Amino acid sequence: SLSTGDVDEAMKSRWFYQCGYYTGVDLRMIEADFFNTFSQMAKHQRYIYYIMTMIRTSHSLTGSSVLSVISERAEIKSLEELGTIAKTTSNMFLLWNINFNELLVKFWFRDFAAVANLAKPFRNSKAKWTLEIYQSLFDGLAAFHMARGSEDQSEWMKIGGEAVTTMSYFAQYSEFNFQNKLFLLQAEQCYSKGELQQAETFYESAISSALSHHFVNEAALAHEMFAFFCRGTSRSDMSLHHFIKAHGYYFKWGAMEKARRVYYS
């Protein structure tokens, strides 16, 4: 696109490529291209604020030097500064991306109350594209976790149930992309309802589906959630097994900081 003069399409394509880190592409490979992508976007003044949010999110997951290395050559704005820019320019898509990336970090580091709060303004909007489906996934998983610690489970179970419905719809059209996510939501739903045997079956299915469809990050997530399930149902040996598996897959994904946190779980 760049060779034909379509700068906007070229920068959009670069942004979509970097979105690969949401779907389990090796974060080390994504980060290796960040500086070149950032330089191109800065040169053409396209999508530069979007890539800044991604750089910050990736840095949170990897704990790498990518943020400091790029910051030595160019200013990487804070999320607060990016939010101000989005509001003053009425850029709702940028504002959504900032919110989504903040939600993403809160989710991977298990701050489920923050996830629920960040997702709340968007619950009445029907998911239409990939990142909105991920938003529904994270909101649903957070809701089921919140339900288990709440005296009034009904509202949280409703939110989680809506995420199950959303994922069921998309899984009809693409088992490859959405089957494992549906299984994981169903596992957490069953756990919250006290249907422990069924929950265990769904955790196992989520892991198997994620691995067969090459979502290494979501295999790690399913192992981690299964580990907490086993801990919560007093099966320490099985819990340790799944924590070790989760650590290995997070490491394989390149999420070194997340892997480190799992190691100390």
Side-chain angles (χ1 to χ4, degrees):
S1 298
L2 198 57
S3 63
T4 62
D6 193 344
V7 174
D8 194 66
E9 190 62 33
M11 295 303 102
K12 186 189 296 183
S13 295
R14 273 193 168 273
W15 177 68
F16 274 120
Y17 169 76
Q18 302 293 166
C19 283
Y21 80 81
Y22 299 127
T23 61
V25 174
D26 192 321
L27 292 172
R28 288 157 293 205
M29 184 172 69
I30 295 292
E31 287 195 341
D33 195 52
F34 266 147
F35 184 75
N36 187 37
T37 297
F38 182 84
S39 299
Q40 287 291 317
M41 289 179 171
K43 177 181 177 181
H44 297 289
Q45 288 299 298
R46 300 285 198 287
Y47 291 89
I48 187 168
Y49 296 135
Y50 299 91
I51 201 69
M52 286 182 185
T53 64
M54 287 184 171
I55 290 168
R56 289 194 170 279
T57 299
S58 186
H59 168 71
S60 296
L61 289 168
T62 65
S64 73
S65 61
V66 63
L67 181 60
S68 59
V69 168
I70 297 177
S71 295
E72 287 174 0
R73 306 186 189 184
E75 179 188 7
I76 304 295
K77 296 187 182 297
S78 68
L79 290 179
E80 291 76 13
E81 290 172 322
L82 290 169
T84 299
I85 291 169
K87 290 173 185 176
T88 55
T89 59
S90 299
N91 190 334
M92 294 299 102
F93 188 53
L94 175 58
L95 200 60
W96 186 90
N97 270 271
I98 295 165
N99 178 284
F100 177 75
N101 277 274
E102 187 175 359
L103 181 151
L104 193 72
V105 172
K106 297 296 185 184
F107 176 81
W108 285 112
F109 292 108
R110 296 182 60 80
D111 186 349
F112 295 125
V115 171
N117 187 53
L118 287 163
K120 186 175 182 179
F122 304 97
R123 286 189 189 128
N124 293 329
S125 301
K126 189 174 181 179
K128 297 177 181 177
W129 68 304
T130 304
L131 298 190
E132 290 176 328
I133 300 170
Y134 272 100
Q135 184 182 57
S136 178
L137 169 67
F138 299 144
D139 188 26
L141 292 172
F144 287 133
H145 176 87
M146 297 295 289
R148 294 194 293 273
S150 172
E151 292 183 4
D152 181 15
Q153 292 189 350
S154 59
E155 185 60 31
W156 292 117
M157 292 299 290
K158 179 183 176 183
I159 293 167
E162 288 170 354
V164 172
T165 299
T166 295
M167 206 61 64
S168 296
Y169 172 80
F170 286 103
Q172 292 179 76
Y173 298 99
S174 179
E175 283 190 0
F176 186 97
N177 287 307
F178 304 115
Q179 182 190 64
N180 70 293
K181 300 169 181 64
L182 174 59
F183 286 152
L184 187 55
L185 280 164
Q186 290 171 319
E188 288 286 294
Q189 184 179 44
C190 288
Y191 182 16
S192 298
K193 291 164 68 176
E195 299 170 358
L196 303 186
Q197 187 57 54
Q198 189 64 27
E200 189 166 336
T201 299
F202 277 127
Y203 283 121
E204 291 170 348
S205 296
I207 292 166
S208 176
S209 178
L211 290 174
S212 64
H213 298 147
H214 312 296
F215 293 112
V216 65
N217 58 333
E218 291 168 20
L221 175 62
H223 272 296
E224 182 184 14
M225 289 197 153
F226 199 0
F228 278 107
F229 167 82
C230 292
R231 177 183 287 178
T233 52
S234 303
R235 287 177 288 175
S236 57
D237 288 349
M238 197 169 177
S239 177
L240 178 60
H241 166 78
H242 287 290
F243 274 127
I244 291 170
K245 286 288 188 179
H247 177 272
Y249 284 121
Y250 279 128
F251 191 88
K252 185 176 181 180
W253 181 29
M256 307 304 185
E257 178 59 22
K258 173 61 181 178
R260 187 185 71 81
R261 301 280 188 98
V262 169
Y263 180 83
Y264 289 106
S265 293

